[in-house]
Amino acid sequence: MTLVIISMTIGIAVGFLSRGIPAIAKNASRITLFGLFFLLFVMGLKLGASREVLDNLGQIGAKAFIIALFCVMGSVFLVQLAAGFIGRKMKEAGVERQCKGDECP
Amino acid sequence: MTILVIMSVVLGAVLGRWLLPVEYMGQLDSLTTIALCLMLGGIGIELGSQKETWRRLRSLGWRIVLVPFLVAAGSLGGAAVAGLLLGMPLKEASAVGAGFGWYSLSGVLLSQIYSVEAGALAFLTNVMRELIAIVLIPVVAVRLGSLAAVAPGGATTMDTTLPLIARSTDADTTVIAFVNGAALSAMVPVLVPLLISL
């Protein structure tokens, strides 16, 4: 946990300070990709070695679908609830001028 | 990209199932911790160096920063309700939901710092979130409106679902979607460990 926050903070600081040096961001994305694939591979290793996960893959998949669906519904609900407010503010700020005629809400 | 992600996991799973003795698994931990730190550092650098995003954000007005927070709150709330229905511990359900569709990161984070079961659940949940988003974005855009179409994708609205949002909505919404995805992506590595440690 502490490690996660420290790594991210250092990364953001380095990224922010090195804006305008494309080589740094490019190499960072290489390191990120390498780390990601290695970690995914290890996650696969652990999954494959765990009978508990393999035997319950169907059940985990069903759970996953339900959680994902509720996440999507919750997000859409809250954004839709505030859409009028945010949309109005956007128009006040002089943005969203793409709509024409009767397409305008 | 997606193919490579799936292949890494499947290759690992095949090796783990049939080839690698379980006793060696513990020795991987220091190596994976280093990989995790390097990866998070790299993600941080990419987020920190996105000058263009911060400029776009200013041009749209600061009110749209509400959108990623609403998406985050909706996801966590939805995951908590789903967790209650499924009889899961609240911290697990909310941490899985805090992946916001970024399946690779939420999966490896949870399998690294909590348990491989939770990691697998986070991976699958967030893969499904991306799939549900791909199906729903065009429908939501027509039925509910442009802004709501940004919500289903979560953190993926800055990359994988961005082209779909661009096609289903307008230019301003596409910028909002990008900012939304960038903000949610920044939240994932903070919220997932935070929620699981509650």
Side-chain angles (χ1 to χ4, degrees), chain B residues 114-175:
Chain B
Y114 189 69
S115 75
V116 68
E117 288 86 354
L121 183 62
F123 186 84
L124 286 175
T125 299
N126 290 293
V127 166
M128 299 221 183
R129 176 162 192 171
E130 188 176 318
L131 294 177
I132 292 172
I134 289 169
V135 174
L136 278 189
I137 284 168
V139 183
V140 170
V142 172
R143 292 276 168 94
L144 297 177
S146 292
L147 205 59
V150 174
T156 70
T157 59
M158 72 180 291
D159 40 56
T160 47
T161 56
L162 188 62
L164 194 57
I165 293 172
R167 217 164 356 122
S168 311
T169 64
D170 51 63
D172 284 337
T173 310
T174 307
V175 176

Side-chain angles (χ1 to χ4, degrees), chain A residues 7-24:
Chain A
S7 311
M8 277 284 287
T9 312
I10 293 175
I12 291 175
V14 170
F16 192 77
L17 295 173
S18 68
R19 285 179 303 174
I21 310 172
I24 290 185

Side-chain angles (χ1 to χ4, degrees), chain A residues 1 3-4 8 11-12 15-16 29 32 37 41 43-45 47-49 51 54 64 68 70-71 74-75 78 80 82 95-96 98, chain B residues 8-9 12-13 15 17 25 33 41-46 48-49 60 70-71 74-75 78 85 107 120 125 129 144 148 172 189 193:
Chain A
M1 174 65 199
L3 223 50
V4 167
M8 277 284 287
I12 291 175
F16 192 77
S29 87
T32 308
F37 285 125
F41 173 73
M43 184 174 83
L45 275 181
L47 287 177
R51 292 241 48 129
L54 283 186
F70 274 79
C71 286
S75 301
L78 284 190
Q80 184 63 11
V95 198
E96 198 171 59
Q98 261 86 13
Chain B
S8 306
V9 177
L15 288 176
R17 176 73 181 86
M25 222 61 93
T33 305
I43 291 171
I45 292 177
E46 286 177 71
S49 59
L60 273 173
L70 290 167
V71 173
S75 301
L85 291 176
T125 299
R129 176 162 192 171
L144 297 177
D172 284 337

Side-chain angles (χ1 to χ4, degrees), chain B residues 1-96:
Chain B
M1 180 67 192
T2 314
I3 290 290
L4 286 173
V5 167
I6 309 258
M7 268 169 51
S8 306
V9 177
V10 171
L11 182 69
V14 169
L15 288 176
R17 176 73 181 86
W18 284 290
L19 290 175
L20 198 82
V22 189
E23 301 85 72
Y24 291 121
M25 222 61 93
Q27 296 170 3
L28 277 170
D29 272 355
S30 51
L31 212 56
T32 52
T33 305
I34 296 169
L36 185 68
C37 290
L38 282 175
M39 181 186 72
L40 290 169
I43 291 171
I45 292 177
E46 286 177 71
L47 288 173
S49 59
Q50 268 163 13
K51 198 166 28 170
E52 203 46 40
T53 312
W54 307 121
R55 199 184 299 145
R56 283 168 164 181
L57 185 67
R58 206 168 303 156
S59 76
L60 273 173
W62 291 101
R63 288 94 174 179
I64 65 143
V65 297
L66 274 174
V67 176
F69 287 103
L70 290 167
V71 173
S75 301
L76 296 182
V81 173
L84 281 177
L85 291 176
L86 295 166
M88 282 172 66
L90 207 60
K91 62 172 192 173
E92 283 181 29
S94 57
V96 164

